[in-house]
């Protein structure tokens, strides 16, 4: 038996060199490239696809179509198409799809954003052929029946409309997009209760829209945890029925460039208080409208703390410390050819009023150069982390990659974005803040309008 003292001495000798190298190891991890999270892309039979073969027993597969609310030809069509996902097809009933997916232990999902419609599944790795076939069946063989439309789809849409009436945060965000972009990106993410969707939403027109939305140039397939060769094989086999071009006897999906307008809208509501101050932001990296200085400015403004027991380094977190009943956050909403930098405030009306004044004062201070270099460095690091984290996240990465393939034929380059953010200078941030203040802002206010300020009262141009 080895004496305990000898064992302890050997352990200390073994651990000592490892401990001395710990700082270098940590630095290496922090500066590591994101090569392990890049996608391998391809095209088969006119269909773009991408895969990321992450080792593991499960796979997540998604079909990303350019069919969000921006591209819908009539009100409610994006949500209608989303709700019809995994309903009855010409091959299988919705009950059979449900039963088979449950037997395989899988999860099915469908959602839409302002630009994209995403349908997909999470499943065990060996079941890739079944779910690749299922998604192909959903986009090419769904039966748009009248009874499912009226008894299930429209009924659920109307329930969502009622929930939005009480959601002041969603109401303010929809208002901000409408004021900023009017049509296209300005279309509400979900149709409001005042929209007469039954006037537009019919099964025949929805079926025609699906042919345009699921035409081969308009969607891409993305997989996490799947072999590239395997995905290529099954996509080539199961997607031959997808139309090569949209139907000619139906309104085409418009892809006009987005235009920023700006302005102000005020909505009285007794269910809560929300105020959004927005400016032209940064578009997606793949669309050629990316502005890394906006990402840094968003982190610099902040409002939320991500460090426990600390208010955070961001300027808004420090400036609004006294407004304890106002929640402030800043983020850049990126789209293919535009972006919206939003500063959201939620809580007590009087605290929001004071916080909104602080937002303008801080932007004026940044544009005037009254800012510490240390704060800029922290903002650059935070912006880089947010970007890499979003790309590493499986759900976010699927939509970003699919959208990039549809828009430009290439996925988002995380390393390129990170390098662009690292290259942002203090002068670039000051110039960005100055241009926002000189241009037209977007201000959307929901709640107690007697207390909540007008844009002019806090010094903004609308």
């Amino acid at each position: 038996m080895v004496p305990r003292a000898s064992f302890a001495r050997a352990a200390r000798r073994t651990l000592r060199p490892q401990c001395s190298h710990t700082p270098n190891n940590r630095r290496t991890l922090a500066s590591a490239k994101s090569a392990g999270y890049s996608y391998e892309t391809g095209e088969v039979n006119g269909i773009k696809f991408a895969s990321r073969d992450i080792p593991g027993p499960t796979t997540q597969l998604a079909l990303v179509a350019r069919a969000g609310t921006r591209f819908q030809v009539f009100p409610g069509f994006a949500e209608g198409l989303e709700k019809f996902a995994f309903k009855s097809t010409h091959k299988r009933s919705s009950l059979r799809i449900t039963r088979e997916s449950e037997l395989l232990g899988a999860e099915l999902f469908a959602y839409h954003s302002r630009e994209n419609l995403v349908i997909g599944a999470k499943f065990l790795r060996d079941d890739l052929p079944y779910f690749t076939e299922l998604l192909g069946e959903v986009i090419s063989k769904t039966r748009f029946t009248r009874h499912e439309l009226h008894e299930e789809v429209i009924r659920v849409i109307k329930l969502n409309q009622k929930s939005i009436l009480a959601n002041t945060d969603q109401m303010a965000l929809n208002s901000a997009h409408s004021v900023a972009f009017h049509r296209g990106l300005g279309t509400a993410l979900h149709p409001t209760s005042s929209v007469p969707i039954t006037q537009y939403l019919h099964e025949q027109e929805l079926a025609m829209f699906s042919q345009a939305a699921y035409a081969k140039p308009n969607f891409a397939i993305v997989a996490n945890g799947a072999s590239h060769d395997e995905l290529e094989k099954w996509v080539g086999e199961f997607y031959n029925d997808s139309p090569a071009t949209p139907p000619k006897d139906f309104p085409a999906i418009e892809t006009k460039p987005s235009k920023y307008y700006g302005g102000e809208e005020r909505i009285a509501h007794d269910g809560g208080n929300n105020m959004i101050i927005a400016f032209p932001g940064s578009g997606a990296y793949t669309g050629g409208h990316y502005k890394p200085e906006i990402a840094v400015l968003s982190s610099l403004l902040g409002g939320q703390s991500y460090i426990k027991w600390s208010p955070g380094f961001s300027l808004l977190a420090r400036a609004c410390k006294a407004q304890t009943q106002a929640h402030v956050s800043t983020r850049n909403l990126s789209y293919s050819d535009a972006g919206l930098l939003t500063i959201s405030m939620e809580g007590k009306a009087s605290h929001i009023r004071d916080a909104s004044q602080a937002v303008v004062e801080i932007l004026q201070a940044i544009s005037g150069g009254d800012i510490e270099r240390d704060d800029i460095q922290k903002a650059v690091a935070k912006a880089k982390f947010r970007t890499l984290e979003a790309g590493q996240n499986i759900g976010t990465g699927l939509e970003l990659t699919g959208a990039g393939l549809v828009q430009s034929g290439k996925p988002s380059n995380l390393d390129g974005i990170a390098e662009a953010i690292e290259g942002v200078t203090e002068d670039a941030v000051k110039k960005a803040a100055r241009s926002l203040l000189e241009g037209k802002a977007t201000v959307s206010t929901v709640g107690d309008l007697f207390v909540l300020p007008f844009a002019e009262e806090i010094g903004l141009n609308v």
Side-chain angles (χ1 to χ4, degrees), residues 273-277 343-345 352 356 443-446 453 458:
N273 300 288
N274 286 78
M275 186 175 183
I276 292 180
I277 299 174
I343 303 161
S344 303
M345 291 157 281
I352 291 177
S356 65
V443 180
S444 293
T445 307
V446 180
I458 56 177

Side-chain angles (χ1 to χ4, degrees), residues 70 113-116 173 177 181 185 258 279-287 289-292 294-295 298 331-342 387 390 396 399-400 403 407 412 417 421:
R70 173 184 178 177
S113 60
R114 281 188 158 79
E115 290 195 304
N116 305 306
L173 190 59
H177 279 82
F181 299 111
L185 287 174
S258 298
F279 303 93
S282 169
Y285 185 81
T286 54
H289 299 269
Y290 184 67
K291 302 174 184 177
I294 294 295
S298 174
R331 58 177 175 160
N332 178 70
L333 305 173
S334 296
Y335 303 106
S336 59
D337 61 352
L340 197 65
L341 177 65
T342 63
T387 299
T396 306
E399 183 177 356
L400 287 175
Q407 294 158 9
S412 187
I417 299 174
I421 291 175

Side-chain angles (χ1 to χ4, degrees), residues 230-460:
E230 284 289 305
L231 183 62
E232 180 179 15
K233 172 185 176 182
W234 299 120
V235 169
E237 180 173 338
F238 295 127
Y239 288 80
N240 294 321
D241 294 333
S242 300
T245 58
K248 296 181 180 180
D249 54 346
F250 190 74
I253 294 178
E254 293 188 1
T255 56
K256 292 190 299 185
S258 298
K259 180 181 178 181
Y260 177 85
Y261 295 91
E264 183 175 16
E265 184 175 26
R266 294 168 64 83
I267 304 170
H269 201 291
D270 65 353
N273 300 288
N274 286 78
M275 186 175 183
I276 292 180
I277 299 174
F279 303 93
S282 169
Y285 185 81
T286 54
H289 299 269
Y290 184 67
K291 302 174 184 177
E293 64 273 15
I294 294 295
V296 175
L297 181 59
S298 174
S299 296
L300 182 62
L301 291 170
Q304 285 182 282
S305 174
Y306 297 93
I307 306 297
K308 192 173 183 180
W309 307 120
S310 168
F313 75 91
S314 69
L315 303 185
L316 283 176
R318 291 184 293 197
C320 299
K321 192 181 299 184
Q323 285 75 48
T324 56
Q325 297 184 51
H327 177 266
V328 185
S329 63
T330 307
R331 58 177 175 160
N332 178 70
L333 305 173
S334 296
Y335 303 106
S336 59
D337 61 352
L340 197 65
L341 177 65
T342 63
I343 303 161
S344 303
M345 291 157 281
E346 177 183 5
K348 190 176 180 180
S350 60
H351 286 220
I352 291 177
R353 179 190 58 206
D354 297 338
S356 65
Q357 185 65 58
V359 169
V360 179
E361 292 173 355
I362 287 175
L363 283 172
Q364 291 171 343
I366 296 173
S367 65
D370 186 14
I371 183 173
E372 299 291 336
R373 180 174 297 180
D374 187 51
D375 290 333
I376 294 287
Q377 292 175 347
K378 291 177 182 178
V380 168
K382 188 62 181 179
K384 179 181 177 182
F385 170 78
R386 282 181 173 178
T387 299
L388 295 177
E389 183 194 32
Q392 180 180 342
N393 180 277
I394 292 179
T396 306
L398 287 172
E399 183 177 356
L400 287 175
T401 301
L405 288 175
V406 174
Q407 294 158 9
S408 62
K410 57 184 179 181
S412 187
N413 181 357
L414 292 179
D415 291 330
I417 299 174
E419 289 175 4
I421 291 175
E422 287 181 336
V424 173
T425 63
E426 186 176 342
D427 288 338
V429 176
K430 295 175 186 177
K431 184 179 178 181
R434 192 178 307 117
S435 67
L436 297 184
L437 290 174
E438 291 173 352
K440 291 184 67 176
T442 293
V443 180
S444 293
T445 307
V446 180
D448 185 356
L449 301 185
F450 180 76
V451 178
L452 295 170
F454 283 86
E456 185 181 15
E457 294 173 349
I458 56 177
L460 290 174

